[in-house]
Amino acid sequence: MKKAKQMSESIRLGMLLAVSGGFMDAYSYIERDHVFANAQTGNMLLLGVNLSEGNFQMAMHYFFPVFAFALGISLAELVHVGKNRFLHWRQSAVLIEAVILAGVAFFPLSMNLLANSLTSFACGIQVESFRKIRGNSIATTMCIGNMRSGTQNLCNYFQSKDIEYLRNAVLYFGIILCFVIGAVIGNFSIQLLHEKAILCCSVLLVLSFIMMFIDYEKGQNSIF
């Protein structure tokens, strides 16, 4: 397996980022007027539906998060090609993400459009910066690709009995489970903290930033 560098492709970090991904989607959907932070396919669908019904003002509530998501991807690429002598570029990206989400916590509900756009911007940074776990292409902000790859690896295991396929399947489905756990935690946090709940996500990202200084997996070959 490809060795993790700066913890950026480690399982522990991937699990924590997946929890934060589920948290962000739950937060934007439940607390910020039913807009998805990560699931841009859903936002595009709702954009099209509202355009077809002539609800142009509501359509903008879905357009700007999609646009901001793309800008977040662009920023991650700029951070990647930039030079930083002190931090790995992925550490810089996750730290920027944490700061943005901390700011969102102080936006009132009357500013949901801007709050959702910034949350999607942060998600774009994450989806571009963290695309692999132990050499496997895995997303920490969405589930459909992980479900496809996990199911494919599981089918390959039943056909070949190669344990590596089973390990990969467990990894993919485990990341999906972490995403769901993040949504559960997000829902409970929203009930207690309302718009300030996203601060919990910032804490998770700061922990991710710290974890990237440590290689927990050195010398380990287990599934987890």
Side-chain angles (χ1 to χ4, degrees):
M1 287 187 179
K2 185 177 178 180
K3 192 173 182 179
K5 296 180 179 180
Q6 292 276 339
M7 274 283 292
S8 61
E9 292 186 18
S10 73
I11 292 176
R12 287 179 176 85
L13 180 64
M15 292 171 65
L16 192 58
L17 290 172
V19 171
S20 73
F23 194 116
M24 283 185 278
D25 243 359
Y27 175 80
S28 64
Y29 187 82
I30 296 170
E31 185 65 17
R32 296 287 187 177
D33 207 19
H34 298 92
V35 175
F36 293 106
N38 292 311
Q40 301 307 323
T41 301
N43 287 338
M44 291 180 187
L45 170 66
L46 294 170
L47 169 63
V49 169
N50 280 281
L51 286 175
S52 69
E53 295 178 349
N55 298 326
F56 300 114
Q57 184 175 358
M58 183 58 66
M60 292 302 100
H61 284 271
Y62 300 103
F63 169 76
F64 282 109
V66 172
F67 182 67
F69 187 86
L71 289 179
I73 293 172
S74 301
L75 177 63
E77 277 301 301
L78 291 175
V79 173
H80 185 189
V81 300
K83 300 296 182 181
N84 190 327
R85 294 183 300 171
F86 304 104
L87 295 174
H88 188 276
W89 74 271
R90 290 189 176 93
Q91 288 175 303
S92 298
V94 79
L95 195 58
I96 292 170
E97 188 182 354
V99 171
I100 290 171
L101 294 180
V104 168
F106 298 95
F107 284 34
L109 297 181
S110 60
M111 299 178 67
N112 279 347
L113 177 59
L114 182 56
N116 285 328
S117 297
L118 287 173
T119 305
S120 289
F121 181 77
C123 291
I125 294 173
Q126 182 169 317
V127 76
E128 180 64 14
S129 302
F130 301 93
R131 297 187 291 180
K132 289 185 178 182
I133 297 178
R134 282 192 171 182
N136 297 290
S137 296
I138 295 181
T140 58
T141 59
M142 56 195 74
C143 294
I144 187 168
N146 295 341
M147 183 173 291
R148 182 200 65 79
S149 297
T151 303
Q152 180 185 14
N153 275 276
L154 190 60
C155 291
N156 289 341
Y157 168 72
F158 287 131
Q159 291 175 351
S160 67
K161 305 303 180 184
D162 186 341
I163 193 64
E164 191 64 25
Y165 286 123
L166 180 60
R167 287 177 175 170
N168 288 338
V170 171
L171 177 59
Y172 281 108
F173 289 123
I175 293 298
I176 292 173
L177 177 60
C178 289
F179 185 92
V180 174
I181 290 172
V184 172
I185 296 172
N187 188 29
F188 283 124
S189 299
I190 290 164
Q191 293 176 29
L192 293 173
L193 302 172
H194 305 290
E195 66 268 21
K196 299 293 191 301
I198 197 66
L199 287 172
C200 299
C201 202
S202 289
V203 172
L204 292 175
L205 293 169
V206 170
L207 289 175
S208 300
F209 170 78
I210 295 170
M211 286 176 66
M212 278 189 281
F213 286 105
I214 309 167
D215 184 5
Y216 288 104
E217 298 191 337
K218 188 175 182 180
Q220 293 184 6
N221 294 309
S222 64
I223 291 179
F224 297 104

